[in-house]
Amino acid sequence: MGQKIARGDALVLAHYYAPDAVQAAADFVGDSFALAQKAVASDKPVIVFCGVTFMGESAKILCPEKTVYLPAPDAHCPMADMASEEEILHMRRTVSDLAVVVYVNSSARLKAHADVVVTSANAVRVVSHLKEKNIYFIPDRNLGAFVAAQLPEKKFYFGHGCCPIHDATTVSEVEAAFSAHPEALLLAHAECPEAVRSRAAFVGSTAGMIAFAERSDAREFLVATEAGTLYELGRRCPGKRFFPTRADFLCADMKKITPAALENVFAGGGTPVEVDEEIAQRARRALMRMLELAK
Ligand code: 13P
Ligand code: SF4
């Protein structure tokens, strides 16, 4: 066991997909973009990040002077490795006037090759500011297609990655949910396939989905994203009803972040997140550029 961490020294950040009890214990709950912004703005020396590894890595890269802990260091987003450095180098060699845009759900190693990083909350805005005509968007082909549809002036090349949980959303399960709740509006995460996104009243990030539900006059919503989001939807929208499009819309990695794992960090059982310095320096440029262009 290492040294205990005083609660007052730490900012506890949690993603909407973390278990309800973990969200309830956090100082701030948000989407990937808002969590990165909060990490940067914090004056606490320690960040305890209740998210998957790419989130903790990004916080460490953006805040090298802070000590960052992941309560579940083995909670790893499978999409983070669904692109390769070789593919990026090949694209850079063969396509001119190219910007490499790397979704934040990626390893630090991939971010080090990025011209800019994006999250689902800011991808359209950030890419719209790039001067390059050609965009290589990795790893998420679904988010990439969503962004491309809104920026017809650019030419997109896509990676082959996806979130296995969102990508598994089918039109037939959405149609079944609409049959059970005909008055409901569909909220879809941008990682869902196009056939699902096209039926949605709102497509975007988790925070965007929550904000849409909050300001909408509708009373019922179908939710096509990880079930943890239902906790904040219920908290922020009393009186409205939310139905997941699938009973087991769960990210097993996010569910590794238990209250006991969080307690273990404060008891001194955590290992600080480390990122290779050369990779961190290059990835920091791409992350900082995102924060600038997303303003
Ligand atoms: P958000 O940035 O929308 O919270 O998404 C993160 C994520 O992992 C989606 O699967
Ligand atoms: Fe990764 Fe999908 Fe889990 Fe999000 S929901 S962390 S994209 S596996």
Side-chain angles (χ1 to χ4, degrees), residues 174 178 185-189 194-204 212 222 224:
V174 168
F178 270 128
L185 297 183
L186 174 64
L187 310 174
H189 196 278
E194 206 278 327
V196 171
R197 295 197 310 271
S198 66
R199 285 164 168 76
F202 177 84
V203 180
F212 181 89
L222 307 179

Coordinates of all heavy atoms in Angstrom, one line a residue, residues 174 178 185-189 194-204 212 222 224:
V174 N -34.3 -1.0 -32.3 CA -34.9 0.3 -32.2 C -36.4 0.3 -32.6 O -37.2 1.0 -31.9 CB -34.0 1.3 -33.1 CG1 -34.7 2.6 -33.2 CG2 -32.7 1.5 -32.5
F178 N -39.6 1.5 -30.4 CA -40.6 2.4 -30.8 C -42.0 1.8 -30.8 O -42.9 2.5 -30.4 CB -40.3 2.9 -32.3 CG -39.4 4.1 -32.4 CD1 -38.3 4.1 -33.2 CD2 -39.7 5.3 -31.7 CE1 -37.4 5.2 -33.3 CE2 -38.9 6.4 -31.8 CZ -37.7 6.3 -32.6
L185 N -39.0 9.9 -28.3 CA -38.0 10.3 -29.2 C -36.7 9.5 -29.0 O -36.4 9.1 -27.8 CB -37.7 11.8 -29.0 CG -38.8 12.8 -29.2 CD1 -38.2 14.2 -28.9 CD2 -39.4 12.7 -30.5
L186 N -36.0 9.2 -30.1 CA -34.8 8.4 -29.9 C -33.6 9.4 -29.8 O -33.4 10.3 -30.6 CB -34.6 7.6 -31.2 CG -33.3 6.8 -31.3 CD1 -33.1 5.7 -30.2 CD2 -33.1 6.1 -32.7
L187 N -32.8 9.1 -28.7 CA -31.5 9.8 -28.5 C -30.4 8.7 -28.8 O -30.4 7.7 -28.2 CB -31.3 10.2 -27.0 CG -32.5 11.0 -26.4 CD1 -32.2 11.2 -24.9 CD2 -32.7 12.3 -27.1
A188 N -29.5 9.1 -29.8 CA -28.5 8.1 -30.2 C -27.1 8.7 -30.0 O -26.9 9.8 -30.4 CB -28.7 7.6 -31.6
H189 N -26.2 7.9 -29.4 CA -24.8 8.3 -29.4 C -24.3 8.2 -30.8 O -24.7 7.4 -31.6 CB -24.0 7.4 -28.4 CG -22.7 8.0 -28.1 ND1 -21.6 8.0 -28.9 CD2 -22.3 8.8 -27.0 CE1 -20.6 8.7 -28.4 NE2 -21.0 9.2 -27.2
E194 N -25.2 4.2 -38.8 CA -26.0 5.2 -39.5 C -27.5 4.9 -39.6 O -28.3 5.7 -39.4 CB -25.4 5.3 -41.0 CG -25.6 6.6 -41.6 CD -27.0 6.8 -42.2 OE1 -27.6 5.8 -42.7 OE2 -27.5 7.9 -42.2
A195 N -27.8 3.6 -39.7 CA -29.2 3.2 -39.8 C -30.0 3.5 -38.5 O -31.2 3.8 -38.6 CB -29.3 1.7 -40.1
V196 N -29.3 3.6 -37.4 CA -29.9 3.9 -36.1 C -29.9 5.4 -36.0 O -30.9 6.1 -35.6 CB -29.1 3.2 -35.0 CG1 -29.6 3.8 -33.6 CG2 -29.3 1.7 -35.1
R197 N -28.7 6.1 -36.3 CA -28.6 7.5 -36.2 C -29.7 8.2 -37.0 O -30.3 9.2 -36.6 CB -27.2 8.0 -36.6 CG -26.1 7.5 -35.8 CD -24.8 8.3 -36.1 NE -24.5 8.5 -37.4 CZ -23.7 7.7 -38.2 NH1 -23.2 6.6 -37.6 NH2 -23.4 8.0 -39.5
S198 N -30.0 7.7 -38.2 CA -31.0 8.3 -39.1 C -32.4 8.3 -38.5 O -33.2 9.1 -38.9 CB -30.9 7.7 -40.4 OG -31.4 6.4 -40.3
R199 N -32.7 7.5 -37.5 CA -34.0 7.5 -36.9 C -34.1 8.4 -35.6 O -35.1 8.4 -35.0 CB -34.4 6.1 -36.5 CG -34.8 5.2 -37.7 CD -34.8 3.7 -37.4 NE -35.4 2.9 -38.4 CZ -34.9 2.6 -39.6 NH1 -33.7 3.1 -39.9 NH2 -35.5 1.9 -40.5
A200 N -33.0 9.0 -35.3 CA -32.9 9.7 -34.0 C -33.3 11.1 -34.1 O -33.1 11.8 -35.1 CB -31.5 9.6 -33.4
A201 N -33.9 11.6 -33.0 CA -34.2 13.1 -32.9 C -33.0 13.8 -32.5 O -32.9 15.0 -32.8 CB -35.3 13.3 -31.8
F202 N -32.0 13.2 -31.8 CA -30.8 13.8 -31.5 C -29.6 12.8 -31.6 O -29.8 11.6 -31.1 CB -30.8 14.4 -30.1 CG -29.4 15.0 -29.7 CD1 -29.1 16.3 -30.1 CD2 -28.5 14.2 -29.0 CE1 -27.9 16.8 -29.8 CE2 -27.2 14.7 -28.7 CZ -26.9 16.1 -29.1
V203 N -28.5 13.2 -32.2 CA -27.3 12.4 -32.2 C -26.1 13.2 -31.7 O -26.0 14.3 -32.1 CB -27.0 12.0 -33.7 CG1 -25.7 11.1 -33.7 CG2 -28.2 11.2 -34.3
G204 N -25.3 12.6 -30.8 CA -24.2 13.3 -30.3 C -23.5 12.6 -29.2 O -23.6 11.4 -29.1
F212 N -30.2 17.5 -24.5 CA -31.4 17.5 -25.4 C -32.7 17.1 -24.7 O -33.7 17.7 -24.8 CB -31.2 16.6 -26.6 CG -32.3 16.6 -27.6 CD1 -32.4 17.5 -28.7 CD2 -33.3 15.6 -27.5 CE1 -33.4 17.5 -29.6 CE2 -34.4 15.6 -28.3 CZ -34.4 16.5 -29.4
L222 N -36.2 7.1 -26.0 CA -35.5 5.9 -26.2 C -34.0 6.2 -26.2 O -33.6 7.2 -26.8 CB -35.8 5.2 -27.5 CG -37.3 5.0 -27.8 CD1 -37.4 4.3 -29.2 CD2 -37.9 4.1 -26.7
A224 N -30.2 5.2 -26.9 CA -29.2 4.3 -27.5 C -27.8 4.7 -27.1 O -27.0 5.2 -27.9 CB -29.4 4.3 -29.0

